[in-house]
Amino acid sequence: MRNLTLLTDFYELTMMQAYFHVEAKNGRRQEAVFDMFYRENPSGYAVAAGLEQVIDYINELAFHDDDINYLRSTGVFCEDFLAYLKNFKFTGSINAVPEGTVVFPGEPLVQVIAPIMEAQLIETAILNIINHQSLIATKAARVCWAAKGDRVLEFGLRRAQGPDAGVYGARAAMIGGCAATSNVLAGRLFDVPVQGTHAHSWIMSFASELEAFRYYANIYPDACILLVDTYDTLKSGIPNAITIFREMRDAGKELKSYGIRLDSGDLAYLSKAARKMLNEAGFPDAFICASNDLDEYVISELKMQGAEISVWGVGTNLITSKDNPAFGGVYKLVAIQSGDDRRNTLKLSEDPLKITNPGVKKIFRLYDAASGKMKADLLALADEEYTNDDDLTIFDPIATWKQMKLRAGEYIIRELLRPVFRAGECVYTSPAVTEICAYAARERDTLWDEHKRLVKPQFMPVDLSQKLYDLKNEMIEALRK
């Protein structure tokens, strides 16, 4: 496990030193509440991921002697502050939504309640970890939805932006719905399935394609997936693959998991032609896997064109989230306490989306009792309680005329944020990645198809309670005056 204490922006440390001097002068410590959330959907929803790595990061937070010496070398930090850092330990509390949870803009994915110096230090790393994994998990969920139940394999390691992006991107892709990854290290670290076939170099290293296929089938008879586009897919690759499948069957070998992979050309046309050839040869259960710059849009188009593909290997466009390469999460101060003086805070902006929601909050999720599908999320202040027995009227915080009335018995409510740290100690046990994957699948099943739509999806309402709405507007008016 690596120590990532210096994985922070320089201004976090300069602000910490400034807070250190303010607190020394005033003789009292400031407690702060920060929300980590995102403002705009990368699609109709997002999938939260990365919490386990945030926990590891917090548990390992410590400034070692070489860290202190490096900071001293910058000439910016005083010895009193460096002495404080030498004994630094996170002592605050953290709440978060569980990994795999479907989430929406404006709601805190991570909520930090801690001395302001501690809360400030961990901002950058939390954003780095949660933004990256949530981005890839969301992209994977979109790709898997486009595949309509077909298996999706994460094949992106060689195109990821470095080893960490490859490893943790693979983890996030599994949370988003992928069935396996080609990344062996990710497979080992997270105990998830690994899968792959062979490259064109395997074929080219033999005198003939048929010989290459034959050797491969002899070595891997229980997982024989042959790459058929090295020379000529329809005239060479598929006929040679059929020859090998016949030899295996004639030799009495049970054909368990076998098929072909297409990695170039018109995948719709080639897959349909391949399916016809395989069926006519007596191999209707041979599967067809496709790769080659796939994403959710290409997969959706190929499905519409009747492509006979049941396994999709998705690489570059998934591991980099190529069309939307940044998640855009932010970390904002929402409350601060100095001694007995507790005040909520709010950031104003000309853009309504950038006006923050003040105070310590809860997230309530509302489901339709009959269908189990999601209806809305409700942001409320921490002292508010709601149950299934309440009649609720919730409304859009910007377009307030948009209201939804929910009567007792018509909906099911649950709170999303979970305790993760209390007084600096972790109180949360991260599930295995396979458990997170199963939970994430159940979460996505509670969305209506309209919210999963690839183009112009319907957005889920994220409303404010009356109490939070009133507080926000009172603060806006006071700040404007």
Side-chain angles (χ1 to χ4, degrees):
M1 193 177 297
R2 295 177 300 169
N3 182 292
L4 299 177
T5 302
L6 292 187
L7 184 70
T8 191
D9 290 306
F10 191 61
Y11 83 160
E12 310 286 19
L13 289 163
T14 57
M15 280 192 289
M16 282 182 73
Q17 178 168 254
Y19 289 134
F20 178 81
H21 287 298
V22 169
E23 292 186 1
K25 181 179 179 180
N26 294 337
R28 57 186 183 182
R29 189 172 71 167
Q30 288 183 302
E31 297 277 341
V33 182
F34 282 87
D35 285 349
M36 185 264 150
F37 61 95
Y38 71 101
R39 292 191 178 112
E40 295 186 74
N41 266 325
S43 60
Y45 64 97
V47 178
L51 179 59
E52 183 175 355
Q53 282 64 54
V54 167
I55 292 170
D56 291 343
Y57 159 72
I58 298 292
N59 281 333
E60 293 296 310
L61 267 180
F63 289 86
H64 301 304
D65 287 343
D66 54 348
D67 301 325
I68 300 295
N69 289 335
Y70 168 72
L71 294 176
R72 182 180 288 115
S73 73
T74 66
V76 173
F77 302 102
C78 67
E79 288 300 320
D80 286 350
F81 178 63
L82 294 175
Y84 161 76
L85 292 184
K86 192 166 185 177
N87 298 308
F88 180 89
K89 182 183 184 302
F90 182 76
T91 63
S93 297
I94 295 178
N95 303 311
V97 298
E99 291 192 85
T101 302
V102 167
V103 291
F104 305 101
E107 49 195 35
L109 312 188
V110 180
Q111 183 183 75
V112 177
I113 306 171
I116 196 165
M117 285 189 284
E118 300 175 19
Q120 198 72 69
L121 173 66
I122 64 179
E123 171 185 4
T124 303
I126 287 177
L127 287 171
N128 177 273
I129 294 166
I130 299 294
N131 277 341
H132 173 243
Q133 289 200 47
S134 298
L135 176 73
I136 305 304
T138 304
K139 182 69 169 179
R142 287 168 56 82
V143 170
C144 292
W145 186 80
K148 302 298 182 189
D150 296 343
R151 298 177 75 241
V152 175
L153 312 178
E154 187 278 307
F155 276 3
L157 178 58
R158 62 190 60 194
R159 302 285 175 79
Q161 283 105 339
D164 281 358
V167 169
Y168 294 109
R171 178 185 188 273
M174 296 296 297
I175 291 171
C178 289
T181 176
S182 67
N183 188 326
V184 180
L185 180 57
R188 177 191 171 191
L189 290 175
F190 310 123
D191 193 25
V192 295
V194 292
Q195 194 167 331
T197 57
H198 59 77
H200 296 104
S201 57
W202 170 263
I203 307 297
M204 293 184 287
S205 69
F206 289 84
S208 72
E209 184 177 60
L210 186 62
E211 184 184 7
F213 284 174
R214 187 172 286 125
Y215 267 97
Y216 194 84
N218 285 335
I219 297 168
Y220 303 109
D222 294 332
C224 184
I225 298 94
L226 303 174
L227 181 59
V228 296
D229 71 333
T230 304
Y231 302 120
D232 189 304
T233 300
L234 298 181
K235 294 181 179 178
S236 174
I238 297 173
N240 283 333
I242 288 171
T243 297
I244 296 303
F245 297 153
R246 281 177 176 151
E247 290 177 0
M248 294 173 72
R249 185 173 60 189
D250 292 345
K253 294 179 180 177
E254 183 182 356
L255 296 174
K256 295 180 180 178
S257 177
Y258 74 108
I260 63 170
R261 178 161 74 96
L262 302 169
D263 191 49
S264 61
D266 185 329
L267 296 178
Y269 168 73
L270 290 175
S271 67
K272 287 185 276 189
R275 182 77 275 157
K276 185 173 185 293
M277 294 168 70
L278 289 165
N279 289 353
E280 289 176 351
F283 300 103
D285 54 347
F287 64 79
I288 299 173
C289 174
S291 49
N292 187 29
D293 289 332
L294 298 173
D295 64 11
E296 64 268 46
Y297 302 105
V298 175
I299 291 173
S300 182
E301 285 291 323
L302 289 170
K303 298 286 282 187
M304 290 174 61
Q305 293 167 30
E308 294 282 356
I309 298 165
S310 57
V311 181
W312 307 85
V314 188
T316 306
N317 294 322
L318 170 53
I319 204 66
T320 65
S321 189
K322 188 174 180 180
D323 63 329
N324 184 33
F327 191 66
V330 295
Y331 187 86
K332 297 299 180 183
L333 182 70
V334 295
I336 192 163
Q337 182 164 340
S338 182
D340 295 329
D341 179 23
R342 174 77 175 269
R343 64 184 175 86
N344 298 312
T345 61
L346 176 144
K347 176 187 177 295
L348 276 180
S349 171
E350 293 299 317
D351 182 350
L353 289 177
K354 291 191 174 184
I355 300 176
T356 58
N357 293 313
V360 187
K361 293 175 287 296
K362 295 177 177 178
I363 313 169
F364 292 100
R365 177 150 294 167
L366 308 171
Y367 301 89
D368 179 72
S371 66
K373 296 292 187 182
M374 213 180 291
K375 292 184 72 69
D377 277 0
L378 178 66
L379 294 184
L381 293 171
D383 60 357
E384 295 187 77
E385 296 292 342
Y386 295 96
T387 71
N388 300 331
D389 299 326
D390 296 317
D391 291 337
L392 285 179
T393 299
I394 60 176
F395 54 90
D396 187 291
I398 298 174
T400 55
W401 63 89
K402 296 180 181 178
Q403 296 189 352
M404 183 187 303
K405 294 185 178 181
L406 302 165
R407 299 195 178 279
E410 294 179 351
Y411 69 94
I412 298 169
I413 192 168
R414 74 176 178 112
E415 195 174 336
L416 294 189
L417 288 171
R418 296 286 179 268
V420 179
F421 281 87
R422 289 292 180 268
E425 299 299 322
C426 184
V427 296
Y428 181 85
T429 301
S430 291
V433 173
T434 50
E435 295 177 58
I436 298 172
C437 296
Y439 166 72
R442 295 193 298 272
E443 277 284 285
R444 295 192 301 276
D445 282 346
T446 65
L447 286 167
W448 300 92
D449 283 347
E450 291 84 349
H451 299 104
K452 299 185 230 182
R453 197 163 52 216
L454 299 180
V455 178
K456 293 187 177 180
Q458 181 71 21
F459 293 122
M460 186 67 66
V462 179
D463 293 342
L464 306 186
S465 70
Q466 186 70 58
K467 189 173 180 180
L468 177 55
Y469 177 80
D470 290 343
L471 171 65
K472 183 174 182 177
N473 280 285
E474 288 168 9
M475 293 183 67
I476 289 172
E477 289 304 311
L479 288 169
R480 282 179 173 164
K481 291 177 181 177

